[in-house]
Amino acid sequence: MSPGVGRGVLPMWRHWVDWRNGLRGRDDMHLSESVLLPMSPAYYDFQLHYDIVFNHHSGSNFYLDFQLHYAIFFNHHSGSNFYLDFNRLKGLNLLAKANNRYFGTACDGIWDNTDEVYLALAGNYSEFGMMTPGNAMKFDATEPEQDTFVYTDADYTVSWSHNRSQVVRGHNFVWYNQVPYWLSSGNWTNVTLISILENHIQNVAGHYRGELYCWDVINEPFNDDGTWRADLWYNTIGSAFVPIALSAARAADPNAKLYINDYNIETIGAKSNAHLALAESMLNSSIPLDGIGCQGHLIVGEAPSASSITANFARFAALGLEWALTGVCHKLVDATIGLSHFTTIAELDIRMTLPETTALLSQQASDYVNAVGGCLASPACVGISTWDTSDDYSWIPSVFTGQGDALLFDSNKQPKPAYFSVASALASATVTGHYTAPTASTTTGTASSTITSTVSLTSTSTVSSSTASATVTVLPLRGLNLLAKANSRYFGTANDGIWDNTDIPYLTLSGNSSEFGMVTPGNAMKFDATEPEQDTFVYTDADYTVSWAHNNSQAVRGHNFVWYNQDVMGLEYIVPYWLSSGNWTNATLISILENHIQNVAGHYRGELYCWDVINEPFNDDGTWRADLWYNTIGPAFVPIALTAARAADPNVKLYINDYNIETIGAKSNAHLTLAQSLLNSSVPLDGIGCQGHLIVGEAPSASSITANFARFAALGLEWAITELDIRMTLPETTALLTQQASDYANAVGGCVASAACVGITTWDTSDDYSWIPSVFSGQGDALLFDSNKQPKPAYYSVANTLAAATVQSHFTSFYTA
């Protein structure tokens, strides 16, 4: 890169515990300057993170969700008598996903929840890939007055979940409980109540059409003895309310899975038999039904065996239904059986009589294994959801006096023995399910589309509106990385100094994997940062960045090993002073280079997508840059570095990275010659990084970029745009913004027209973090987001270019926690 992304002051020695990946302890972590909290003996350094949620319902409001998240860092002091012994999280959803299932949770009231630790855990995709809104979609919440539809809280929950790559279960349309007063107190005829029911489902399911995995259309229709529950629906309409509701739901959202959900149906008995007979009747009458939801509200010591659960739901699977455990909490609820061949455990929790004891926790762990095992042994079981995330949010204590502690995480958000028993059960599963998360939809937008919307913590809105406590202007985001991913590419960003950054909107935007699927640490991995003194390796800042990115489901580009800057310019020493000031021989400098790469690449072995091994080796005229490396070693420093990198991390992609190589010319010709020479000599090289530091009005055409890199692709190399920004002379004008949008479309277009181009990265996220103003006086505003973190016209031109792309590449994010 060109000199940029300034480094911050070295912060306290600390290390992030990645919620997905668990503790990534490094021996160099030091306890000095840490903060001691009441939950000692562990030391925590709390960093606030932002998250921005946009609702993309057509005709509804956009909400800007300023939810604070915790990133929790644990300090390690190697060599002292203090060690943090913290149980690692295993990634329940990632483990379930390995066999085509999901692991989910439920939540309620997140729109005004300030419990940052809870929000971070509940929103962690590695643990929970499915979200069920506990109450926000029920009849009383969505139609509190007849024909007045309120989606404020439910919209928030759906957007919050989608922003975390979580899929959503709709819950529910027809239930005997939580019926609004206007409905329960009415003297309805059969015809009017049917009309009310169909109208409600048409509006609510239609509002969320295409955004949910499934709907619990019918909830708890039977008594435990298998007789119909005598509620408003049955007493007025009779059993016909079931096919009426299912048919209305299918008409309103043809692609959502339709479920019947109930508790105490885990095993063969009167109630599950009633559901089986109902399901057979529906299917024989061609009524749409895809699955059965087994809630799974159980009691410690009384939970059924795995085999009895599997045997019961094998009957539903024989009908072609799926099923799921939908939320185990107080009663055992059957896994949702999708009549489209699925079932789920939908509301799992396993309560105990308090106080909690070691014996009860041990039994609870065994009971959870049985419940989850019943699902995992059935190919028709698509997933498991617990009924909320941690014990302090469980509904159990408010309903069952003296009982509680029913979930996998305790009230301090720490994993309990049951968590690890579930993780082990998921890890050892061999039967494959068939759950596939729906593809995330993207919202169209234009550079000029400004949507004025309201943020509300109350549920007093009518259709597609809300009673506001604040008004904000929000431009819709399109999801650049999701758009790129559709053609097997990534869209990424770079950052620096996030370890002590308190700019929450920036952190949220930069960490949004829908926008950015790749992160490049701007300076934290360079020679001066990682080996500031000879043979003293420091990974604090780089470790933080890698964990932060991985926790946000982002892959990481390593940047870089060999760079000239700035060993002779008298500025900040990217090549550290001890190295630039040394009187090295060829042999000693080679040894230093190999040792450095061996240590740093080895430290991150298996954690990065690629390394920019060589950075900017040539002058613009195509001659070698006369720097420390070339002057001492000669051009052999290139194959030496590449070979060392491959030895240290055999699976990471190895790149040479440079600027001003977008089109055919002296410098790109020099790189082509170098690449040919390396490949002919069997030196490992996988890709070329085209930085893309451009100027508004002077950017090359898409076709000229594609034509240039076709030469490298012909050698079998992939390539990427690695540091894209397009600067303008300030002040910014409408004309400059329009030209910038066109220039960005050309740059990105040059990539998406090439099958060998795997992705695009901008050199930081928003204009206030760009390196441009500090280097090019009077210039700036080079990025896709302005200093207020709002998308600029160029953002939408890039989104449109990505959306219109037809040429497939081959990028696959290797990283799984």
Side-chain angles (χ1 to χ4, degrees):
M1 66 165 241
S2 298
V5 189
R7 286 176 48 75
V9 177
L10 187 67
M12 72 179 81
W13 296 72
R14 63 195 179 187
H15 193 68
W16 190 3
V17 169
D18 181 332
W19 283 111
R20 174 180 299 99
N21 200 31
L23 183 62
R24 295 161 30 100
R26 302 294 189 194
D27 289 340
D28 58 332
M29 300 306 158
H30 190 274
L31 276 176
S32 62
E33 301 181 49
S34 57
V35 180
L36 180 61
L37 296 184
M39 55 181 64
S40 177
Y43 284 83
Y44 301 78
D45 171 23
F46 288 98
Q47 283 278 38
L48 293 179
H49 281 238
Y50 230 52
D51 204 5
I52 299 176
V53 176
F54 295 99
N55 283 301
H56 297 313
H57 305 298
S58 176
S60 81
N61 295 314
F62 283 79
Y63 297 86
L64 186 59
D65 166 22
F66 292 103
Q67 279 290 349
L68 296 178
H69 280 234
Y70 262 34
I72 301 183
F73 301 82
F74 295 90
N75 290 298
H76 253 194
H77 192 338
S78 178
S80 76
N81 57 8
F82 175 82
Y83 294 90
L84 178 63
D85 182 15
F86 188 80
N87 289 316
R88 297 182 54 156
L89 295 189
K90 302 295 186 181
L92 300 184
N93 185 52
L94 296 181
L95 291 170
K97 190 176 178 183
N99 281 297
N100 295 337
R101 294 184 180 87
Y102 66 79
F103 201 94
T105 188
C107 65
D108 197 50
I110 57 170
W111 45 88
D112 57 4
N113 191 327
T114 59
D115 183 345
E116 292 89 354
V117 180
Y118 170 80
L119 293 170
L121 182 57
N124 185 340
Y125 170 80
S126 292
E127 298 299 324
F128 305 111
M130 181 73 72
M131 179 61 69
T132 305
N135 290 294
M137 289 183 171
K138 290 175 179 170
F139 212 123
D140 63 330
T142 53
E143 194 177 355
E145 300 293 336
Q146 189 168 8
D147 284 327
T148 297
F149 292 92
V150 178
Y151 302 115
T152 313
D153 297 346
D155 277 358
Y156 187 112
T157 306
V158 170
S159 294
W160 187 88
S161 301
H162 285 177
N163 198 51
R164 290 156 178 79
S165 302
Q166 294 172 318
V167 180
V168 179
R169 290 182 60 91
H171 180 80
N172 58 59
F173 289 132
V174 183
W175 192 27
Y176 72 91
N177 205 351
Q178 290 182 238
V179 176
Y181 181 75
W182 69 267
L183 182 56
S184 62
S185 61
N187 186 23
W188 312 109
T189 66
N190 177 291
V191 173
T192 55
L193 191 57
I194 289 174
S195 176
I196 287 168
L197 178 58
E198 290 178 327
N199 181 63
H200 177 81
I201 294 174
Q202 175 186 343
N203 277 274
V204 180
H207 182 77
Y208 293 106
R209 179 172 176 146
E211 299 198 43
L212 310 183
Y213 171 70
C214 67
W215 271 105
D216 293 328
V217 179
I218 309 295
N219 199 49
E220 304 172 5
F222 294 116
N223 298 309
D224 282 350
D225 63 2
T227 60
W228 287 96
R229 190 182 296 277
D231 61 5
L232 169 70
W233 309 106
Y234 181 78
N235 290 343
T236 309
I237 304 174
S239 59
F241 78 85
V242 176
I244 288 169
L246 288 166
S247 297
R250 177 56 40 90
D253 190 348
N255 295 319
K257 303 281 187 182
L258 305 182
Y259 271 65
I260 297 174
N261 188 50
D262 214 331
Y263 62 89
N264 287 352
I265 60 168
E266 294 75 25
T267 59
I268 296 173
K271 196 173 190 179
S272 64
N273 289 342
H275 274 284
L276 184 66
L278 176 62
E280 288 178 313
S281 173
M282 295 297 100
L283 296 174
N284 288 338
S285 302
S286 299
I287 302 299
L289 177 64
D290 301 301
I292 301 297
C294 171
Q295 290 178 16
H297 297 297
L298 306 174
I299 301 172
V300 168
E302 302 179 23
S305 67
S307 60
S308 65
I309 296 172
T310 305
N312 176 36
F313 283 100
R315 306 182 299 161
F316 294 85
L319 302 179
L321 294 176
E322 69 181 29
W323 67 281
L325 280 171
T326 56
V328 182
C329 68
H330 75 278
K331 302 172 274 188
L332 182 50
V333 183
D334 282 319
T336 311
I337 266 186
L339 291 181
S340 54
H341 313 90
F342 313 102
T343 60
T344 65
I345 300 177
E347 302 179 17
L348 182 62
D349 52 29
I350 307 182
R351 69 185 187 267
M352 65 179 67
T353 300
L354 302 175
E356 181 184 276
T357 66
T358 301
L360 285 170
L361 287 172
S362 178
Q363 182 61 52
Q364 183 183 58
S366 176
D367 291 340
Y368 261 103
V369 167
N370 276 322
V372 171
C375 171
L376 301 179
S378 168
C381 184
V382 294
I384 301 139
S385 290
T386 56
W387 204 239
D388 225 310
T389 304
S390 58
D391 287 338
D392 49 332
Y393 285 84
S394 172
W395 66 291
I396 296 296
S398 64
V399 177
F400 298 94
T401 302
Q403 297 188 50
D405 290 4
L407 294 167
L408 298 178
F409 291 85
D410 65 24
S411 296
N412 291 320
K413 320 303 183 295
Q414 298 300 300
K416 294 156 63 177
Y419 171 90
F420 295 101
S421 70
V422 167
S424 296
L426 292 168
S428 59
T430 57
V431 177
T432 301
H434 60 271
Y435 168 74
T436 301
T439 302
S441 61
T442 57
T443 300
T444 59
T446 64
S448 59
S449 61
T450 301
I451 298 179
T452 301
S453 61
T454 56
V455 179
S456 174
L457 300 183
T458 63
S459 298
T460 56
S461 56
T462 54
V463 178
S464 298
S465 66
S466 64
T467 298
S469 58
T471 300
V472 294
T473 299
V474 179
L475 292 171
L477 296 187
R478 298 276 301 276
L480 300 184
N481 187 52
L482 295 180
L483 291 170
K485 191 176 179 182
N487 282 297
S488 301
R489 293 183 179 87
Y490 64 81
F491 200 92
T493 188
N495 59 45
D496 197 51
I498 58 169
W499 44 88
D500 56 5
N501 190 326
T502 58
D503 183 347
I504 296 172
Y506 170 79
L507 293 171
T508 297
L509 183 57
S510 297
N512 184 343
S513 62
S514 294
E515 298 300 323
F516 304 112
M518 182 75 73
V519 168
T520 304
N523 287 295
M525 290 183 170
K526 289 175 181 170
F527 214 122
D528 69 319
T530 52
E531 194 178 355
E533 300 294 336
Q534 189 169 6
D535 283 326
T536 298
F537 291 92
V538 176
Y539 301 114
T540 313
D541 298 347
D543 277 358
Y544 186 114
T545 306
V546 171
S547 292
W548 185 85
H550 286 175
N551 195 51
N552 291 319
S553 301
Q554 296 167 314
V556 179
R557 290 183 56 92
H559 179 80
N560 57 60
F561 289 132
V562 183
W563 191 27
Y564 74 94
N565 208 6
Q566 295 159 337
D567 56 315
V568 294
M569 296 176 67
L571 301 175
E572 180 187 2
Y573 283 93
I574 303 301
V575 175
Y577 182 75
W578 69 266
L579 180 58
S580 62
S581 61
N583 186 22
W584 311 109
T585 66
N586 178 290
T588 55
L589 191 57
I590 289 173
S591 177
I592 288 170
L593 178 58
E594 290 177 327
N595 181 62
H596 177 81
I597 294 175
Q598 176 187 342
N599 277 274
V600 180
H603 181 79
Y604 293 106
R605 178 172 175 148
E607 298 195 47
L608 310 183
Y609 171 70
C610 67
W611 270 106
D612 292 328
V613 179
I614 310 296
N615 201 48
E616 306 172 5
F618 293 117
N619 298 310
D620 282 350
D621 63 2
T623 59
W624 286 95
R625 191 182 297 277
D627 62 4
L628 169 70
W629 308 106
Y630 182 80
N631 291 344
T632 309
I633 303 175
F637 77 85
V638 175
I640 288 169
L642 288 164
T643 302
R646 177 55 40 89
D649 190 347
N651 295 318
V652 72
K653 302 277 190 181
L654 306 182
Y655 270 66
I656 297 174
N657 189 50
D658 214 331
Y659 63 91
N660 287 351
I661 60 168
E662 292 76 22
T663 60
I664 295 174
K667 196 173 190 179
S668 62
N669 289 341
H671 275 283
L672 184 67
T673 299
L674 175 61
Q676 288 175 316
S677 172
L678 294 170
L679 295 173
N680 289 339
S681 301
S682 299
V683 175
L685 177 65
D686 301 299
I688 301 296
C690 171
Q691 291 181 15
H693 296 295
L694 305 174
I695 302 171
V696 167
E698 302 178 24
S701 67
S703 59
S704 64
I705 296 172
T706 306
N708 177 36
F709 282 99
R711 304 183 300 162
F712 293 87
L715 301 180
L717 296 174
E718 67 181 35
W719 67 282
I721 299 177
T722 57
E723 302 180 19
L724 182 62
D725 50 31
I726 308 182
R727 66 186 185 268
M728 64 179 68
T729 300
L730 302 175
E732 180 185 277
T733 66
T734 301
L736 285 171
L737 287 172
T738 300
Q739 182 62 51
Q740 184 184 57
S742 176
D743 292 340
Y744 260 104
N746 274 321
V748 172
C751 170
V752 299
S754 168
C757 184
V758 294
I760 300 129
T761 296
T762 58
W763 204 239
D764 225 310
T765 304
S766 57
D767 287 338
D768 49 333
Y769 284 83
S770 172
W771 65 289
I772 296 293
S774 65
V775 177
F776 298 95
S777 179
Q779 298 188 51
D781 290 3
L783 295 167
L784 298 179
F785 291 85
D786 65 24
S787 296
N788 293 319
K789 319 304 184 292
Q790 295 299 301
K792 294 156 63 176
Y795 173 91
Y796 293 102
S797 72
V798 168
N800 291 336
T801 303
L802 292 169
T806 58
V807 177
Q808 284 280 334
S809 188
H810 61 270
F811 171 74
T812 301
S813 180
F814 75 100
Y815 178 74
T816 54

